[in-house]
Amino acid sequence: MSSSRVTLFEDIFEVTTLNPDRKTFDRVNRIAATGTTFECDLLLDINCEIYSLKEGEKVTLVLASTLNLDGTPDDHFSYAPNAGEPTLADNYEYVMHGRVFDITYKGDGMVVIAASFGGLLMRLTGDQRHLSSVQPDMRLYILIKKD
């Protein structure tokens, strides 16, 4: 199975604002970013103690259903990679596992996807044609690397 079948969504995002609500927390930053290809809007909480982003930086963001390069499903209840076998996570700097908890379809062909990664939240808004692989209640990974 190709990595394109593992990947639910991928785009390069430019960070436009750090903590747009002007709320700050000790270990969490909320980033607002805009996709450069599909023009999606992203709000994402990240643990800034282990990964920092600044306004103006560009990152590749991937949503994936599994970290297995051959596409075999993860059990999503434990992370037990096979020792020595490469995974999709090897190519990224920041990876979180979570669950889609809400998908709202707007009348203009837009969709809003809300997911939680252990309490760190994501809201991704964009054209539903580009986000149709993401389903309600789906468990998924978000993978990020700086460009």
Side-chain angles (χ1 to χ4, degrees), residues 20-60:
D21 300 331
R22 304 233 190 285
K23 295 178 185 172
T24 57
F25 297 94
D26 288 339
R27 295 183 282 272
V28 177
N29 278 335
R30 177 165 287 171
I31 62 162
T34 303
T36 60
T37 303
F38 299 120
E39 298 176 353
C40 293
D41 290 323
L42 174 72
L43 272 179
L44 178 66
D45 296 342
I46 59 168
N47 181 331
C48 57
E49 278 191 337
I50 59 174
Y51 196 70
S52 72
L53 291 171
K54 298 181 183 81
E55 290 179 10
E57 283 188 309
K58 289 186 178 178
V59 296
T60 296

Side-chain angles (χ1 to χ4, degrees), residues 98-102 113-117 120-124 140:
R99 181 180 224 148
V100 174
F101 66 86
D102 186 52
I113 296 170
S116 177
F117 301 90
L120 297 177
L121 303 178
M122 176 193 78
R123 185 179 73 207
L124 183 61
L140 47 72

Side-chain angles (χ1 to χ4, degrees), residues 42-103:
L42 174 72
L43 272 179
L44 178 66
D45 296 342
I46 59 168
N47 181 331
C48 57
E49 278 191 337
I50 59 174
Y51 196 70
S52 72
L53 291 171
K54 298 181 183 81
E55 290 179 10
E57 283 188 309
K58 289 186 178 178
V59 296
T60 296
L61 179 141
V62 170
L63 298 178
S65 58
T66 179
L67 295 178
N68 298 319
L69 294 175
D70 65 1
T72 55
D74 285 332
D75 71 6
H76 292 285
F77 296 107
S78 64
Y79 180 65
N82 294 327
E85 283 190 31
T87 70
L88 188 61
D90 296 337
N91 301 319
Y92 293 87
E93 300 163 341
Y94 186 75
V95 179
M96 295 189 292
H97 177 262
R99 181 180 224 148
V100 174
F101 66 86
D102 186 52
I103 296 181

Side-chain angles (χ1 to χ4, degrees), residues 2 8 13 29 116 141:
S2 70
L8 304 168
F13 283 82
N29 278 335
S116 177
Y141 296 92

